[in-house]
Amino acid sequence: MLGINATYRMRPGGRAAFLREVAACGLLEAVRQEQGCRRYDYFLPLDDPDSLLVVERWDSPEDQQRHLAQPHMALLAAAKARWVTETALETYSLLPQD
């Protein structure tokens, strides 16, 4: 199983607008329905209003790569172009869950 933590650095004050765009297009639900997706959640650090943590879990690296090619990911890319200034990725292997 593959784990990914993506930290988005937002334009000052842009986190709420980014989250509204993502919610309006149904991105979270679409990703969670993808083959091999075990988790796709956003977390908001209370002490940093200009960052966002995305926690992902995938059955395999292949599932995660297929995810990147989904049509709804173009919507995410557009929202990120407007509101995100930097993305830091951390990937790690997880033991399979029963």
Side-chain angles (χ1 to χ4, degrees):
M1 188 177 310
L2 174 67
I4 299 174
N5 291 347
T7 302
Y8 295 167
R9 171 64 42 202
M10 314 302 289
R11 295 188 191 287
R15 186 170 73 182
F18 173 83
L19 291 171
R20 279 192 301 273
E21 282 191 41
V22 168
C25 72
L27 180 88
L28 292 168
E29 295 79 16
V31 172
R32 290 173 181 153
Q33 296 302 311
E34 290 180 38
Q35 176 183 334
C37 182
R38 296 290 185 112
R39 180 177 195 174
Y40 189 86
D41 292 304
Y42 288 179
F43 293 90
L44 311 178
L46 295 176
D47 62 344
D48 187 354
D50 294 326
S51 71
L52 175 80
L53 173 65
V54 183
V55 176
E56 303 180 38
R57 302 287 185 271
W58 297 92
D59 284 337
S60 71
E62 295 78 19
D63 289 327
Q64 194 273 336
Q65 287 298 303
R66 191 172 28 258
H67 152 73
L68 296 175
Q70 297 302 308
H72 50 263
M73 294 308 290
L75 300 171
L76 177 63
K80 284 181 68 176
R82 283 187 283 282
W83 303 110
V84 177
T85 61
E86 181 182 336
T87 301
L89 292 176
E90 176 184 35
T91 62
Y92 44 93
S93 294
L94 298 163
L95 296 175
Q97 296 177 347
D98 295 331

